[in-house]
Amino acid sequence: MASNSPRSHRLGAGTRLLAFVTVAGAVILYLLPNPSIEGLPKPSPAGIPVRFTDIRKAAGITFVQDATATDQKYYLETMGTGVGWIDYDQDGLPDLYFVQSAATDAYTPPHPLRSALYHNNGDGTFTDATEKAGVGGEGHYGQGVAVGDYDNDGYPDLYVTGYGRAILYHNNGDGTFTDVTAKAGVADEGNWSTSAGWFDYDKDGWLDLLVCNYIDWTPKNNIWCGEHRMGYRAYCHPDNYGGEHIKLYHNNHDGTFTDVSDASGVGKPEAKGMGVVLADLNNDGWPDIAIANDTWPNFLFLNNHDGTFNDVSYISGVAASEDGLYEAGMGIDAADVDGDGWLDLYVTHLDFELNRLYHNNHGGTFDDYTYPSGIGNKAILLSGVAMKFLDYDNDGWTDVVQINGAMVDNIKLYHNDVTYKEPLLMFRNLGHGHFNKVSEDLGPDFMRPVAGRGLATADFDNDGDLDIAAVDRGNYPELLRNDGGNAHNWLEVQLVGTRSNRDGIGAGLKLTSEGFVQTQQALGGGGYMSASDHRIHFGLGQRKKIDSLEITWPSGQADELTDIPINQIIAVKEGVGIIPRRFPKVPAR
């Protein structure tokens, strides 16, 4: 690819031939028996009817993401922004935070731009609480958001990444926030931060902060990419710019953080970080770091239990695709898709690449299971941006939701078969990590084309099925309510740490229901520049009884709960068990 090629993945004749051979080989592999699933029960039968309904307008959400688009094609413009769920007032109802962009050297907005916090009113509507809360960040070119209670006071805080700097908002517990970035020492000054995540990497009971940084781009080095014809200028490929470095900030327990990026080993390699998920990927009880890099080797850092990490990116098998390509990694998440008790990884990529599912082999390595899983090339013309694992139909198997949208807004000039706006994507898990694309079954709102960027999930109406908030670049967002998922049984769990961090991030959960076992973790990060609800969601299918719920906290405390009624949200306190907490159900509208 030429060094000044646009931000798309055009294939030359030779490359197209290579792609054909690789795909053909992978199809043959898919037709062969898969030894890892022989003897397992049959896949889940056809699912219950589920539709996603966009209620954004009826909910009173008027936020519009400003793309800051100009004919200068600033690289910054195409990234879009993220979205986060945060129950900031702890009333049991998840609220919404939309990250906004800002003016640039080439763009003056028609009105001041600010991020927006919407309070969940508990009746299907939301109220803009930005001004009172003090989290607008006007003048900050925001990118992503991470939610976590870093000071263990019971109220979740906001970290907003962005171009040139980031912002840490401390939740005051009274509906307001204070910008404590300077005091905390987490401004990430001079970098271009994208995704971030909270996790307790040293298990001292306090959340630390991992920040992805992207590329060394400025308006001064904004080169011309694409053809030199009217209307053909395009956003550049990341290969035109050097990368930056990952930041790791250790929590000092006093409201400040120490930059341990180099000392930990995480900040040493050059990065082009886009998405991050923080999870125990080798089942040793300590959280690891997986990062999706853009046209750069993906990272996997395993926790050494001593404040340092071991870079196993290449030997683990997640650095590249099965055919050795470094693809346009953007969104990333972790979940146990096949029920073996080990977390697998999914990474989104742009058009003419594949969205990769990496299967955990239990020994520190992963295999590219994109074709054996049935995902294959079913979205090869879509540009995957953000994604999340979720059980949208509550059948007990983890599915994949993905938002798509080309990075190049004039993509039609370069690809006749690719569009700028694209529909969402849902891969339903048929059982044991075998997937089928079911997007077309989920209703017209789900299939409406968008220039998708950030995406986050939450049961915002507390009715037992997971809903979706999604960012459409340069447009209103979507609030997609899940209608029908709660026809199957379910359980949701809010963790309350005591010796562990207050959010319980890093905890492992094992639920047994009529002999059917599910394992989940309370993860940090996940997706692309967005923050999903921390509550752990279990689908139960038609099972009517929970045999047990085992929780292993980061502190080492192990709690086992029995006789748990189904179809409810529970709060579980470390070392205590279920505690009273209201989770009001939003009336159907």
Side-chain angles (χ1 to χ4, degrees):
M1 183 176 291
S3 63
N4 65 342
S5 57
R7 185 71 167 96
S8 61
H9 290 265
R10 295 180 286 148
L11 301 178
T15 310
R16 287 186 185 276
L17 177 60
L18 174 62
F20 175 79
V21 172
T22 303
V23 169
V27 170
I28 293 172
L29 173 64
Y30 178 52
L31 295 175
L32 294 175
N34 185 349
S36 68
I37 63 168
E38 289 181 356
L40 292 176
K42 293 181 179 180
S44 172
I48 55 175
V50 175
R51 296 291 184 273
F52 284 91
T53 305
D54 186 2
I55 64 165
R56 188 273 311 167
K57 187 174 182 180
I61 295 173
T62 59
F63 174 85
V64 177
Q65 199 276 339
D66 195 315
T68 69
T70 70
D71 58 6
Q72 296 300 302
K73 297 294 182 183
Y74 275 11
Y75 200 113
L76 185 63
E77 299 168 3
T78 190
M79 299 284 284
T81 52
V83 57
W85 291 100
I86 174 174
D87 183 5
Y88 74 94
D89 56 355
Q90 289 294 282
D91 64 354
L93 292 159
D95 311 299
L96 261 177
Y97 186 77
F98 293 99
V99 182
Q100 185 60 287
S101 56
T104 69
D105 292 351
Y107 177 77
T108 300
H111 53 80
L113 300 179
R114 68 177 191 181
S115 297
L117 176 65
Y118 282 90
H119 178 261
N120 187 337
N121 298 324
D123 60 0
T125 68
F126 289 74
T127 298
D128 189 334
T130 312
E131 186 172 353
K132 177 186 175 183
V135 291
E138 188 174 324
H140 175 236
Y141 203 114
Q143 291 283 261
V145 58
V147 175
D149 182 3
Y150 75 87
D151 59 351
N152 291 332
D153 66 353
Y155 287 90
D157 310 297
L158 281 170
Y159 186 75
V160 185
T161 63
Y163 179 74
R165 64 185 177 94
I167 302 174
L168 176 60
Y169 291 111
H170 174 259
N171 190 332
N172 299 322
D174 59 0
T176 70
F177 291 75
T178 300
D179 182 343
V180 297
T181 315
K183 175 190 173 185
V186 292
D188 196 34
E189 199 77 36
N191 291 312
W192 180 354
S193 52
T194 53
S195 294
W198 296 97
F199 72 141
D200 183 6
Y201 76 89
D202 56 354
K203 302 208 295 184
D204 64 354
W206 297 77
L207 290 179
D208 311 298
L209 179 63
L210 191 287
V211 181
C212 290
N213 287 309
Y214 189 38
I215 59 172
D216 184 20
W217 173 91
T218 72
K220 294 180 179 179
N221 65 11
N222 188 59
I223 62 177
W224 184 294
C225 291
E227 299 181 29
H228 283 266
R229 287 195 284 163
M230 182 68 69
Y232 274 74
R233 186 171 186 175
Y235 296 108
C236 291
H237 191 281
D239 283 353
N240 290 285
Y241 301 97
E244 295 189 324
H245 294 269
I246 305 301
K247 289 287 186 180
L248 178 59
Y249 295 100
H250 177 261
N251 192 326
N252 299 327
H253 313 175
D254 61 359
T256 69
F257 292 77
T258 299
D259 185 344
V260 296
S261 310
D262 291 339
S264 67
V266 170
K268 291 182 178 180
E270 183 179 351
K272 296 184 179 181
M274 293 286 255
V276 61
V277 65
L278 306 161
D280 180 6
L281 294 168
N282 59 357
N283 279 1
D284 66 352
W286 291 76
D288 309 304
I289 301 169
I291 293 172
N293 283 308
D294 193 359
T295 65
W296 201 255
N298 298 321
F299 292 158
L300 177 56
F301 297 102
L302 295 183
N303 197 320
N304 291 329
H305 313 172
D306 61 0
T308 68
F309 289 81
N310 184 24
D311 185 350
V312 298
S313 306
Y314 293 97
I315 62 174
S316 69
V318 303
S321 64
E322 186 174 36
D323 43 1
L325 300 177
Y326 302 142
E327 297 173 308
M330 299 187 72
I332 186 172
D333 202 13
D336 177 11
V337 301
D338 56 355
D340 65 356
W342 295 71
L343 297 187
D344 310 294
L345 293 168
Y346 186 99
V347 183
T348 64
H349 299 110
L350 297 189
D351 52 82
F352 296 104
E353 297 178 340
L354 302 180
N355 301 294
R356 300 287 174 178
L357 176 65
Y358 293 99
H359 176 261
N360 194 325
N361 296 327
H362 310 179
T365 65
F366 292 75
D367 281 339
D368 185 342
Y369 260 45
T370 305
Y371 274 96
S373 70
I375 290 172
N377 66 347
K378 292 176 181 176
I380 198 166
L381 295 180
L382 300 179
S383 290
V385 184
M387 61 78 54
K388 278 297 294 178
F389 283 118
L390 81 169
D391 184 358
Y392 81 94
D393 58 354
N394 284 350
D395 68 350
W397 293 100
T398 300
D399 313 302
V400 176
V401 64
Q402 177 177 309
I403 193 168
N404 309 288
M407 294 290 109
V408 179
D409 51 6
N410 55 359
I411 189 69
K412 271 293 184 183
L413 299 177
Y414 293 93
H415 286 301
N416 289 329
D417 45 2
V418 175
T419 60
Y420 172 55
K421 293 194 171 189
E422 301 169 342
L424 272 72
L425 183 68
M426 185 75 80
F427 286 115
R428 179 173 182 260
N429 193 333
L430 304 177
H432 309 293
H434 288 260
F435 293 86
N436 185 40
K437 186 164 80 75
V438 296
S439 313
E440 293 80 3
D441 300 332
L442 301 179
D445 288 352
F446 189 87
M447 289 297 295
R448 183 170 54 245
V450 295
R453 296 302 185 257
L455 177 146
T457 60
D459 180 9
F460 82 87
D461 48 5
N462 290 338
D463 68 347
D465 48 32
L466 289 174
D467 313 296
I468 300 167
V471 174
D472 183 358
R473 177 181 179 248
N475 206 342
Y476 293 103
E478 293 184 312
L479 179 54
L480 296 169
R481 185 186 63 206
N482 185 326
D483 294 325
N486 57 8
H488 275 154
N489 296 320
W490 53 276
L491 178 74
E492 292 177 22
V493 183
Q494 178 168 330
L495 300 175
V496 181
T498 53
R499 292 166 53 205
S500 302
N501 66 85
R502 179 68 177 242
D503 293 335
I505 293 176
L509 294 85
K510 178 181 177 182
L511 182 142
T512 304
S513 173
E514 298 180 13
F516 182 77
V517 177
Q518 299 180 59
T519 58
Q520 293 200 45
Q521 289 183 27
L523 305 177
Y528 170 77
M529 302 202 307
S530 298
S532 293
D533 188 6
H534 285 316
R535 295 182 298 188
I536 310 298
H537 177 266
F538 290 96
L540 301 176
Q542 298 179 0
R543 303 171 192 88
K544 297 180 173 62
K545 184 177 185 294
I546 296 173
D547 304 320
S548 65
L549 174 63
E550 302 171 42
I551 303 175
T552 303
W553 300 83
S555 68
Q557 170 73 32
D559 295 330
E560 182 173 356
L561 287 68
T562 57
D563 300 320
I564 305 171
I566 62 173
N567 298 335
Q568 65 173 333
I569 306 172
I570 62 174
V572 180
K573 189 173 184 178
E574 182 179 7
V576 176
I578 299 176
I579 59 174
R581 180 157 294 187
R582 290 187 66 247
F583 299 99
K585 185 176 179 180
V586 175
R589 292 170 63 91

